[in-house]
Amino acid sequence: MKKLVLVVLWVFMVCGVVFSQNWQQELEDAKNQMEEIMDTFTRVFPDVATQQNIEPRAWIGYLIQQPYPEITKRSGKVTKELPHFTIGLLPVGFAFMKTDELNRVGRTINETDIIPIPMLPFPSISIDARIGGIKTSGVNLPFDLGFSFFSLNLGSMLGDDADLGLQWTNWGLDARYLIIKQNGAIPNVSANVGFAHWSLDLDTDIFDGELSTNTVYFGGQASYTLNFFIPYLGIKMMTGKNKGIITLTSDDPNAAALAPELKSQTVGSDKTFFNMQFYGGFGLDWLVFQTSIGASINVFTGTPGINFSTRFSL
């Protein structure tokens, strides 16, 4: 990110001052170009945020039942059904930004790619948990609730002497309600609603960046349990606000002498959005654990995503 901004913004602005008779227009053009580049980045953020707490089962079952029913295991042993909940052991996900638009800019200004790879990954990592619904006499609520959280303050870890501040946070919550129960060839189907936040704040001597999204989503998921194998497929309609603000402060006295406007510049994007994401994958139950692998694609932006998790699961 730092290389991208320094190469694109400062080359545009400094060249505009030194070589153009109308450097104010060149400066404005450079800022507009950076805002377009920032839009390329922020379009990825909702798909990063929603890689959290992906549960293969469309519904995990009841946390509370009165009474807990008896079940017969494959071994033939009869036992009481246990409360259903999950705890994620650092699930991780990525959304991938295509770099072709950025590299076209790089080839225009200095005949080289800014990012020499076809896609740039943006990560999401969290500790998550999910609890099941309630079934007692006269009450039957087949829902489940999911929670996820992660925060990393790299600046505080490095100490006060470090010229770097980095705060990375993502968290989310969601609720799902079973509307069709698995029966024969018919899968479990649930409706869901949720909220996901992802943010990255970076602070250096010359570079301040604030990148974030607040994403609200609703949709549905279907899954089918085949012993230990659980394929799933779902859809999320997503809306919210993406934000990307970058401030550059030059420590070059020559740039400041040429034009005070070059001492500090802020560019960014702060926009609402509406997207649609398809996602799917499969889970594997083993002992009291579950491993899942999933992928997603944003229909409107073309942003792909992947996620992987291992959970304690009952």
Side-chain angles (χ1 to χ4, degrees):
M1 174 71 78
K2 181 177 178 180
K3 177 183 177 183
L4 165 67
V5 177
L6 292 177
V7 169
V8 176
L9 184 59
W10 286 113
V11 169
F12 265 110
M13 292 196 295
V14 172
C15 288
V17 170
V18 175
F19 299 110
S20 174
Q21 294 180 351
N22 187 10
W23 60 267
Q24 292 94 338
Q25 184 60 48
E26 294 288 341
L27 182 60
E28 187 64 28
D29 291 343
K31 292 178 68 175
N32 291 338
Q33 183 67 69
M34 277 302 299
E35 288 172 359
E36 293 179 6
I37 290 174
M38 187 58 66
D39 283 342
T40 302
F41 276 87
T42 58
R43 283 199 301 266
V44 181
F45 296 166
D47 294 280
V48 182
T50 54
Q51 300 303 319
Q52 306 175 61
N53 208 352
I54 305 297
E55 164 62 50
R57 292 170 293 179
W59 174 60
I60 67 170
Y62 295 104
L63 176 69
I64 298 173
Q65 296 187 75
Q66 293 296 338
Y68 285 94
E70 292 185 344
I71 58 173
T72 302
K73 295 186 176 181
R74 282 178 290 180
S75 63
K77 181 180 179 180
V78 177
T79 184
K80 292 284 188 179
E81 185 173 341
L82 296 173
H84 291 288
F85 64 92
T86 69
I87 299 175
L89 308 176
L90 292 181
V92 62
F94 295 90
F96 296 88
M97 183 190 76
K98 298 177 181 179
T99 59
D100 50 352
E101 294 182 26
L102 304 182
N103 288 331
R104 277 198 296 270
V105 175
R107 289 189 291 269
T108 298
I109 62 177
N110 65 354
E111 299 182 350
T112 186
D113 290 344
I114 295 173
I115 302 176
I117 53 176
M119 290 189 176
L120 184 66
F122 285 78
S124 175
I125 187 171
S126 61
I127 297 173
D128 66 36
R130 186 173 296 275
I131 60 174
I134 300 172
K135 185 177 182 181
T136 61
S137 178
V139 176
N140 184 8
L141 297 175
F143 66 84
D144 60 33
L145 302 175
F147 314 88
S148 62
F149 178 79
F150 178 80
S151 183
L152 174 66
N153 190 334
L154 187 58
S156 63
M157 294 172 62
L158 296 176
D160 296 335
D161 296 334
D163 295 328
L164 172 67
L166 186 150
Q167 177 72 46
W168 172 18
T169 302
N170 53 245
W171 62 274
L173 54 91
D174 71 273
R176 307 185 304 175
Y177 194 90
L178 185 71
I179 55 178
I180 300 176
K181 188 174 179 59
Q182 179 172 323
N183 183 15
I186 299 175
N188 278 339
V189 178
S190 63
N192 62 61
V193 62
F195 174 86
H197 170 84
W198 183 92
S199 64
L200 179 66
D201 294 340
L202 182 62
D203 182 11
T204 70
D205 289 341
I206 63 172
F207 174 92
D208 293 331
E210 299 178 32
L211 310 174
S212 67
T213 186
N214 289 313
T215 300
V216 177
Y217 60 88
F218 57 93
Q221 180 178 332
S223 69
Y224 198 90
T225 301
L226 296 167
N227 293 324
F228 61 88
F229 181 65
I230 311 167
Y232 69 94
L233 184 66
I235 184 173
K236 290 177 181 174
M237 311 299 292
M238 305 187 296
T239 187
K241 179 172 285 190
N242 295 328
K243 179 180 179 181
I245 305 295
I246 287 178
T247 300
L248 289 176
T249 303
S250 174
D251 56 2
D252 184 353
N254 295 324
L258 285 169
E261 289 83 356
L262 293 185
K263 181 64 178 176
S264 179
Q265 288 292 324
T266 298
V267 294
S269 174
D270 190 354
K271 295 183 178 180
T272 58
F273 64 89
F274 182 80
N275 290 335
M276 181 169 65
Q277 179 196 84
F278 287 109
Y279 65 98
F282 63 89
L284 298 172
D285 285 338
W286 47 286
L287 300 177
V288 294
F289 297 97
Q290 178 197 82
T291 296
S292 66
I293 299 173
S296 66
I297 185 71
N298 190 310
V299 178
F300 292 176
T301 66
T303 301
I306 60 173
N307 56 80
F308 175 82
S309 68
T310 295
R311 295 183 173 90
F312 178 81
S313 175
L314 288 180

